[in-house]
Amino acid sequence: MSPDSGQKKPRIFCIVAARPNFMKIAPILAEIERRGRLEAVLVHTGQHYDTNMSDVFFQDLGIREPDIHLGIGSGSHAEQTGKLMMAFEKLCFTNRPDMVLVVGDVNATVACSLVASKLHIPVAHVEAGLRSGDRRMPEEINRIVTDALSDLLFTTSRDADENLLREGICAEKIHFTGNVMVDSLLRNLEKTNPEATVERVLGEQFIRKPFVLLTMHRPSNVDDLKALESWTAAFETIGQTITIVCPLHPRTAGRLQEHGLEKRFKAAVNCISPLGYLDFTGLLQRASVVITDSGGLQEETTVLGVPCLTIRETTERPITISQGSNRLVGSQPEQLLQAMLELPAREEKGQSPVPELWDGKASNRIVDLLDKLCIVQ
Ligand code: UD1
């Protein structure tokens, strides 16, 4: 941690925990440190710990070493959240921050917000206000609770502002600042080399071959045997006409093994290890279509104009449907098969303008506000 020098700068804890957090924190941390008015302390809670779920993102996105590593790891929701809260509270006692900044909707987002707000430390939430309306998703609970506790709510779209106002959050706390994921995407696009990535990761024969890029890890799709079995059957059908490539998330890998579906799934789908940010973004630019249950990927495909079929009943990112390339196909595999048949060829689909403030400057707007508010406090 940087030693105090002369006048004390307001100290802001920036929390990261799991894979989708890294691309959100990278541009904010860089901007805070470029301006030098706040002392950013990077705290990694350790929810994701495998090299290819965490370290590679630090390298690809140029994020410096965390100042503090809590090393919490995996566990049930209560175990993970409880351990996180205990460790984070201790940290706040010994090294009190002036503000805690959390991103997204993972378990650490809610755990750290709870601790901070009970210690009367202001909480800033980046990507506030997204709502799927489905409380069976653990992330939805995390979003609702974090937003209720936050003092500063940075949103990515105007529908998120409306969600927050509907829940009684006062307008002064809400700031429509844009999408920091897009900051990372636009800043790193030129570092990617789609052709070379396809050749290295998938093999030379894929350079001119169309493929589907699949990512799937939501509990509703992979924890339930029946759901996982029906998706496997759907991929067997799709795989007969186009190759499906899937960087396999550890949760999905575990469930396929537990449910005895690993062999069938891997016969239908070309499974590879989870990829770093630059490799994944490289493949994404070459994919004919994405099939996913991820949240962030609905946004990235929207910016890149890649057709996206989301295998969920709901989305907390409706703007990717109204203004992007995303289509919600639901949780029945027949709907996915139908949607695949209806897909326009990628070349025929003109790219729609990206959503408002998805312009690569969201982190500047966020840090403008942090500077103003932290320094005034
Ligand atoms: C978490 C987030 C989810 C996000 C996803 C991205 C919550 C509630 N969920 O889900 O919103 O989309 O991250 O990946 O916070 N594991 C490893 N290595 C790791 C991390 C996990 O092997 O580095 C395994 C563990 O066995 C663990 C399982 O993956 O039990 C699931 O990990 P967990 O952190 O519980 O949730 P995710 O499914 O990754």
Side-chain angles (χ1 to χ4, degrees), residues 306-321:
V306 180
C308 177
L309 301 177
T310 297
I311 47 173
R312 287 173 41 190
E313 291 290 345
T314 56
T315 179
E316 60 289 335
R317 293 161 162 93
I319 200 164
T320 62
I321 296 174

Side-chain angles (χ1 to χ4, degrees), residues 221-264:
N221 282 330
V222 306
D223 287 5
D224 177 59
L225 168 62
K226 233 176 111 208
L228 192 56
E229 200 164 26
S230 341
W231 288 123
T232 305
F235 302 142
E236 284 170 337
T237 306
I238 296 168
Q240 286 167 12
T241 48
I242 183 168
T243 305
I244 308 174
V245 173
C246 177
L248 207 53
H249 187 283
R251 172 187 287 276
T252 312
R255 297 304 183 264
L256 283 168
Q257 219 170 30
E258 272 168 46
H259 295 320
L261 284 167
E262 194 184 9
K263 223 168 142 199
R264 252 182 85 189

Side-chain angles (χ1 to χ4, degrees), residues 18-20 47-50 53 74 77 80 105-107 138-139 142 217-218 249-251:
R19 191 169 60 178
Q47 180 172 339
H48 284 175
Y49 42 84
D50 286 356
M53 297 294 286
S74 302
H77 285 275
Q80 204 174 48
D105 53 19
V106 300
N107 285 340
E139 294 80 3
N142 295 346
H217 71 279
R218 294 274 158 222
H249 187 283
R251 172 187 287 276

Side-chain angles (χ1 to χ4, degrees), residues 12-16 21-36 38-43 58 61-67 101 103 126 180 183-184 187 363-364 366-367 370:
I12 178 158
F13 277 7
C14 300
I15 313 296
V16 288
N21 296 158
F22 306 130
M23 37 284 213
K24 293 171 194 165
I25 216 72
I28 300 175
L29 188 66
E31 189 57 22
I32 292 178
E33 297 192 333
R34 191 184 66 78
R35 297 186 189 197
L38 305 171
E39 180 199 347
V41 176
L42 183 60
V43 181
F58 280 69
L61 295 161
I63 311 173
R64 64 175 171 79
E65 283 284 301
D67 297 293
L101 180 128
V103 298
V126 174
V180 285
D183 293 15
S184 275
R187 281 168 207 191
S363 46
N364 301 59
I366 287 172
V367 180
L370 291 177

Side-chain angles (χ1 to χ4, degrees), residues 29-331:
L29 188 66
E31 189 57 22
I32 292 178
E33 297 192 333
R34 191 184 66 78
R35 297 186 189 197
R37 299 180 74 189
L38 305 171
E39 180 199 347
V41 176
L42 183 60
V43 181
H44 191 336
T45 70
Q47 180 172 339
H48 284 175
Y49 42 84
D50 286 356
T51 304
N52 56 9
M53 297 294 286
S54 178
D55 298 1
V56 66
F57 286 83
F58 280 69
Q59 288 151 26
D60 281 2
L61 295 161
I63 311 173
R64 64 175 171 79
E65 283 284 301
D67 297 293
I68 292 157
H69 212 300
L70 298 178
I72 300 303
S74 302
S76 72
H77 285 275
E79 268 169 0
Q80 204 174 48
T81 311
K83 280 194 214 159
L84 262 162
M85 288 181 68
M86 287 163 69
F88 189 61
E89 186 184 53
K90 218 177 256 174
L91 175 65
C92 289
F93 282 145
T94 55
N95 191 354
R96 191 179 173 92
D98 297 292
M99 181 173 278
V100 171
L101 180 128
V102 293
V103 298
D105 53 19
V106 300
N107 285 340
T109 309
V110 70
C112 295
S113 306
L114 259 165
V115 169
S117 60
K118 289 197 175 188
L119 295 177
H120 310 154
I121 300 166
V123 176
H125 183 204
V126 174
E127 208 185 67
L130 297 183
R131 296 290 182 271
S132 67
D134 178 3
R135 289 199 182 191
R136 291 167 307 169
M137 280 183 82
E139 294 80 3
E140 184 76 351
I141 309 287
N142 295 346
R143 294 180 197 118
I144 294 168
V145 176
T146 303
D147 285 339
L149 299 173
S150 293
D151 301 277
L152 267 176
L153 297 101
F154 298 120
T155 61
T156 53
S157 54
R158 296 203 184 270
D159 56 277
D161 294 23
E162 284 160 26
N163 292 335
L164 294 170
L165 292 169
R166 208 176 310 118
E167 287 173 19
I169 301 204
C170 69
E172 294 75 60
K173 291 182 178 178
I174 305 169
H175 303 273
F176 173 40
T177 41
N179 194 328
V180 285
M181 285 263 292
V182 180
D183 293 15
S184 275
L185 184 63
L186 299 180
R187 281 168 207 191
N188 287 288
L189 219 45
E190 64 182 31
K191 291 188 209 149
T192 66
N193 186 339
E195 193 127 309
T197 307
V198 167
E199 186 174 1
R200 178 168 39 81
V201 176
L202 303 179
E204 201 186 341
Q205 71 277 22
F206 276 89
I207 293 180
R208 264 167 286 282
K209 209 168 151 188
F211 63 89
V212 171
L213 187 58
L214 165 71
T215 81
M216 182 169 85
H217 71 279
R218 294 274 158 222
S220 58
N221 282 330
V222 306
D223 287 5
D224 177 59
L225 168 62
K226 233 176 111 208
L228 192 56
E229 200 164 26
S230 341
W231 288 123
T232 305
F235 302 142
E236 284 170 337
T237 306
I238 296 168
Q240 286 167 12
T241 48
I242 183 168
T243 305
I244 308 174
V245 173
C246 177
L248 207 53
H249 187 283
R251 172 187 287 276
T252 312
R255 297 304 183 264
L256 283 168
Q257 219 170 30
E258 272 168 46
H259 295 320
L261 284 167
E262 194 184 9
K263 223 168 142 199
R264 252 182 85 189
F265 190 89
K266 289 189 171 170
V269 173
N270 184 350
C271 291
I272 54 177
S273 305
L275 296 173
Y277 185 77
L278 297 176
D279 278 346
F280 187 82
T281 308
L283 285 197
L284 185 53
Q285 291 167 80
R286 282 278 289 98
S288 303
V289 55
V290 165
I291 299 176
T292 192
D293 59 11
S294 148
L297 205 36
Q298 296 172 48
E299 298 180 340
E300 289 164 335
T301 49
T302 284
V303 174
L304 295 174
V306 180
C308 177
L309 301 177
T310 297
I311 47 173
R312 287 173 41 190
E313 291 290 345
T314 56
T315 179
E316 60 289 335
R317 293 161 162 93
I319 200 164
T320 62
I321 296 174
S322 58
Q323 289 186 40
S325 55
N326 186 21
R327 178 171 165 195
L328 204 56
V329 299
S331 54

